[in-house]
């Protein structure tokens, strides 16, 4: 139960349910044509069972439950220590039960016209019945409160995770690595002086890269991500020349599968940043898919003596984004001299489920 469960409407409906439950026996006796009130100790407490008796019992059972629910709902919505609040609720409910039961009993006595010796027995019976109603109200109110609290916590956690993931996603999307920007401009400056055609190609690919990072999409098809990653790879190839090579082997059936934007580019950037790229030791980065619905980026391990320092969102945050959005893990493997990272691909028909994780829930 979400939103505002402790309302007059809820109290009204629950009170009707309790009234029907408590008067079920009276309804059976009414339709069977028997007396519903048995004489205590052989006295004359035997006013025949009538519609007036039935309605009066139902009405006062309803009023008792309704007032007790109002008291419980009011106290449950107050901000106080949980133990103190529970104590106040129990004391208030029992006190109100005794007072209301006494008042309603005398009203019913007047309605049913019991004799002088009957009120004592009737009041005791009414208080026993009303105490049972009070227990039902207390237990049901607490169950509603605990259920609502649990659902509110789940909603808050989901919203928190969604906002956390969205914040990280926006940070990654809007990130322009200063080192990448400065290196790109320096490369472009050199190309303008030496190779105008390459310079124009470089500007075209660089424009495509930055335009892609500005799009407002949470997930994108693998084909589009590969086009972007290919543009980034061409920029790196122009910069590093024959020292850097790429190999792409993508099964066409995965073209429409979905992936988080900048995933593959982040992994390619990570490989270049932490490995030697030189004429003596060229670096080959492979981008492929496997039959387990993963995109894989791998490279031979050629560690630099001193890895480049970077403060951007990298591999750790990429893994966290996937965990939050898809509840899946990226797989990192370093063996046989190769370092590979497997990124889970999302089937097109499952995209709605993952997109809904990004939408903050309304509480």
């Amino acid at each position: 139960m979400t939103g505002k469960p402790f309302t007059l409407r809820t109290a009204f409906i629950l009170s009707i349910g309790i009234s029907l439950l408590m008067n079920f026996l009276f309804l059976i006796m009414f339709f069977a044509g028997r007396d519903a009130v048995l004489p205590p100790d052989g006295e004359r407490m035997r006013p025949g069972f009538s519609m007036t008796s039935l309605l009066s019992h139902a009405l006062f059972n309803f009023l008792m439950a309704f007032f007790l629910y109002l008291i419980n709902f009011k106290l449950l919505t107050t901000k106080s220590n949980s133990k103190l609040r529970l104590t106040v609720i129990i004391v208030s409910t029992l006190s109100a039960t005794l007072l209301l039961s006494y008042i309603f009993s005398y009203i019913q006595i007047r309605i049913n016209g019991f004799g002088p010796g009957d009120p004592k027995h009737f009041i005791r019976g009414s208080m026993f019945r009303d105490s049972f109603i009070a227990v039902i109200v207390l237990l049901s109110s607490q169950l509603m409160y605990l259920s609502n609290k649990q659902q509110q916590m789940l909603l808050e956690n989901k919203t928190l995770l969604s906002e956390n993931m969205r914040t990280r996603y926006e940070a990654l999307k809007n990130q322009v690595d200063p080192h990448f920007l400065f290196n790109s401009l320096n490369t472009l400056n050199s190309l303008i002086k030496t190779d105008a055609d390459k310079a124009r190609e470089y500007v075209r690919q660089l424009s495509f890269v930055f335009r892609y990072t500005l799009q407002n999409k949470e997930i994108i098809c693998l084909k589009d991500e590969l086009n972007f990653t290919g543009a980034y790879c061409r920029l790196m190839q122009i910069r590093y020349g024959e020292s850097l090579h790429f190999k792409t082997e993508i099964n066409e059936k995965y073209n429409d599968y979905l992936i988080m934007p900048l995933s593959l580019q982040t992994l390619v950037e990570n490989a270049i940043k932490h490995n030697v790229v030189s004429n003596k030791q060229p670096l080959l980065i492979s981008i492929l898919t496997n039959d387990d619905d993963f995109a894989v980026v791998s490279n031979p391990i050629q560690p630099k003596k001193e890895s480049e320092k970077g403060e951007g969102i990298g591999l750790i945050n990429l893994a966290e984004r996937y965990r939050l959005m898809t509840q899946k893990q990226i797989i990192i493997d370093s063996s046989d001299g190769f370092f590979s990272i497997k990124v889970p691909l999302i089937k097109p028909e499952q995209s709605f489920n993952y997109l809904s994780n990004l939408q903050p829930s309304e509480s």
Side-chain angles (χ1 to χ4, degrees):
M1 188 176 300
T2 58
K4 297 180 178 180
F6 307 118
T7 62
L8 287 175
R9 181 173 179 270
T10 304
F12 184 84
I13 293 173
L14 291 173
S15 299
I16 289 178
I18 289 179
S19 178
L20 292 175
L21 175 66
M22 298 299 297
N23 288 277
F24 183 67
L25 179 61
F26 286 92
L27 286 170
I28 294 176
M29 290 185 173
F30 174 74
F31 287 111
R34 299 178 182 178
D35 291 346
V37 181
L38 299 178
D41 304 327
E43 296 181 9
R44 60 171 182 239
M45 188 179 177
R46 192 184 293 274
F49 190 86
S50 64
M51 179 61 75
T52 301
S53 175
L54 172 67
L55 293 177
S56 66
H57 276 86
L59 174 63
F60 289 112
N61 287 165
F62 166 80
L63 291 175
M64 174 65 68
F66 185 72
F67 285 128
L68 293 182
Y69 271 121
L70 291 184
I71 293 171
N72 276 259
F73 287 1
K74 180 65 177 177
L75 294 175
L76 283 171
T77 54
T78 59
K79 295 181 178 180
S80 61
N81 179 274
S82 57
K83 292 183 178 179
L84 175 62
R85 182 174 57 225
L86 180 59
T87 302
V88 172
I89 288 174
I90 293 175
V91 173
S92 301
T93 301
L94 293 179
S95 301
T97 300
L98 294 176
L99 177 62
L100 292 172
S101 182
Y102 194 80
I103 295 172
F104 291 163
S105 295
Y106 265 101
I107 295 175
Q108 284 184 276
I109 288 171
R110 297 294 300 272
I111 292 174
N112 290 305
F114 292 154
D118 301 329
K120 186 191 303 183
H121 298 282
F122 189 87
I123 291 173
R124 282 206 302 266
S126 296
M127 285 189 174
F128 178 79
R129 176 200 63 205
D130 294 338
S131 297
F132 184 70
I133 293 176
V135 171
I136 295 177
V137 171
L138 272 172
L139 292 177
S140 60
S141 297
Q142 289 299 314
L143 286 174
M144 289 173 59
Y145 173 75
L146 293 175
S147 176
N148 183 68
K149 187 176 181 180
Q150 183 179 25
Q151 291 192 29
Q152 288 293 338
M153 289 179 63
L154 290 174
L155 286 173
E156 288 174 5
N157 288 338
K158 183 177 180 180
T159 301
L160 181 62
L161 290 176
S162 298
E163 290 300 327
N164 183 33
M165 184 178 63
R166 182 176 289 276
T167 299
R168 292 180 179 184
Y169 173 78
E170 292 297 329
L172 178 62
K173 186 181 67 176
N174 296 326
Q175 176 197 13
V176 177
D177 187 346
H179 294 290
F180 171 67
L181 180 58
F182 293 149
N183 289 333
S184 297
L185 292 177
N186 287 333
T187 302
L188 180 60
N189 183 56
S190 299
L191 289 173
I192 290 174
K193 297 176 181 179
T194 60
D195 194 328
D197 291 335
K198 276 191 175 181
R200 283 192 290 271
E201 172 68 12
Y202 195 86
V203 169
R204 185 166 63 253
Q205 300 298 339
L206 187 62
S207 174
F208 179 82
V209 166
F210 281 109
R211 186 165 58 249
Y212 183 88
T213 62
L214 295 177
Q215 66 179 332
N216 189 29
K217 293 182 179 181
E218 288 81 8
I219 54 177
I220 197 165
C221 68
L222 178 61
K223 183 178 181 180
D224 290 340
E225 175 69 6
L226 286 170
N227 288 336
F228 162 70
T229 304
Y232 177 80
C233 291
R234 283 189 286 276
L235 288 177
M236 294 298 100
Q237 280 183 313
I238 292 174
R239 175 183 170 187
Y240 288 98
E242 293 301 317
S243 300
L244 182 63
H245 302 277
F246 295 95
K247 181 176 71 172
T248 302
E249 295 179 359
I250 302 297
N251 191 321
E252 292 184 357
K253 76 174 185 178
Y254 290 113
N255 281 340
D256 293 329
Y257 276 56
L258 302 168
I259 192 171
M260 297 185 73
L262 309 179
S263 298
L264 300 181
Q265 181 272 336
T266 298
L267 300 182
V268 170
E269 181 183 15
N270 185 71
I272 296 173
K273 183 179 294 185
H274 296 288
N275 289 276
V276 173
V277 183
S278 66
N279 290 330
K280 292 183 178 181
Q281 200 172 4
L283 180 67
L284 172 63
I285 300 176
S286 301
I287 304 172
L288 51 90
T289 53
N290 63 20
D291 293 333
D292 296 325
D293 296 346
F294 280 93
V296 184
V297 176
S298 66
N299 59 270
I301 299 175
Q302 302 173 182
K304 295 180 178 179
K305 292 182 179 180
E306 292 185 5
S307 297
E308 295 182 24
K309 295 181 180 179
E311 297 180 354
I313 296 177
L315 182 57
I316 294 176
N317 280 337
L318 177 64
E320 183 69 2
R321 285 167 59 223
Y322 266 96
R323 186 186 69 80
L324 292 175
M325 182 176 178
T326 68
Q327 288 77 54
K328 295 181 178 180
Q329 303 287 343
I330 67 174
I331 300 174
I332 301 175
D333 180 47
S334 179
S335 60
D336 299 327
F338 279 85
F339 183 82
S340 65
I341 302 177
K342 299 178 181 179
V343 178
L345 298 174
I346 302 168
K347 294 180 180 180
E349 61 269 21
Q350 296 176 335
S351 62
F352 178 79
N353 296 332
Y354 298 122
L355 283 171
S356 64
N357 289 340
L358 286 166
Q359 305 302 326
S361 302
E362 295 182 3
S363 56

